[in-house]
């Protein structure tokens, strides 16, 4: 399974990186990844016309898209679209950050899962 990571380099530029989630533990109903320590979960709903100017992530967190579509742009100019079912890891907690814009004119729902460290 692949997820996208958004991170900042020492010079403050933000980038995308595709990361493979490894499944190593077999169980009766499939396979599991290694556990990830998390501290809290927030439900989020954005209005249909929501666009957010340049900002950094408030902490290291997984964003699980439940529905809607969002375009994320990082400071090096690359853009990616995420939609319901996609997961990305936001780790650009410093630097220039990223910006987002709703692609569909519908509300967007997601989960924010904060990592412990």
């Amino acid at each position: 399974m692949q997820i996208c990571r958004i991170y900042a380099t020492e010079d403050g530029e933000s980038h995308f990186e595709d990361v493979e989630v490894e499944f190593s533990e077999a169980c009766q109903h499939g396979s599991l990844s290694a556990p990830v320590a998390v501290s809290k979960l927030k439900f989020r709903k954005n209005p249909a016309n929501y666009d957010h100017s340049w900002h950094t992530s408030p902490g290291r967190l997984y964003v699980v898209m439940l529905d809607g579509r969002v375009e994320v742009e990082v400071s090096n100019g690359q853009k990616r679209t995420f939609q319901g079912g996609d997961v990305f890891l936001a780790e650009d907690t410093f630097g220039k950050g990223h910006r987002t814009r709703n692609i569909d004119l519908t509300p967007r729902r997601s989960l924010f899962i904060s990592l412990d460290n």
Side-chain angles (χ1 to χ4, degrees):
M1 175 178 164
Q2 243 184 20
I3 64 168
C4 181
R5 175 179 174 236
I6 302 170
Y7 69 98
T9 51
E10 288 183 16
D11 62 359
E13 294 293 331
S14 55
H15 307 271
F16 292 117
E17 176 185 30
D18 293 322
V19 177
E20 189 70 29
V21 175
E22 299 293 329
F23 292 91
S24 58
E25 184 181 332
C27 64
Q28 181 180 359
H29 304 289
S31 299
L32 297 171
S33 71
V36 176
V38 299
S39 59
K40 60 187 167 196
L41 177 139
K42 292 182 180 180
F43 293 85
R44 183 174 187 183
K45 182 178 179 182
N46 297 101
N49 62 347
Y50 183 81
D51 289 345
H52 197 293
S53 60
W54 291 101
H55 63 285
T56 57
S57 180
R60 294 180 62 234
L61 54 90
Y62 284 103
V63 178
V64 180
M65 296 290 298
L66 299 176
D67 56 20
R69 290 190 309 149
V70 64
E71 179 185 79
V72 179
E73 180 179 359
V74 292
S75 66
N76 71 4
Q78 289 184 313
K79 297 177 183 180
R80 292 203 182 175
T81 300
F82 300 97
Q83 61 189 10
D86 289 337
V87 177
F88 62 91
L89 175 59
E91 293 187 304
D92 60 334
T93 58
F94 66 93
K96 297 178 182 177
H98 61 276
R99 64 180 169 185
T100 60
R101 113 182 141 80
N102 268 12
I103 293 175
D104 300 326
L105 292 178
T106 60
R108 174 171 42 97
R109 297 178 303 165
S110 56
L111 300 175
F112 281 15
I113 305 171
S114 298
L115 301 177
D116 278 351
N117 52 15

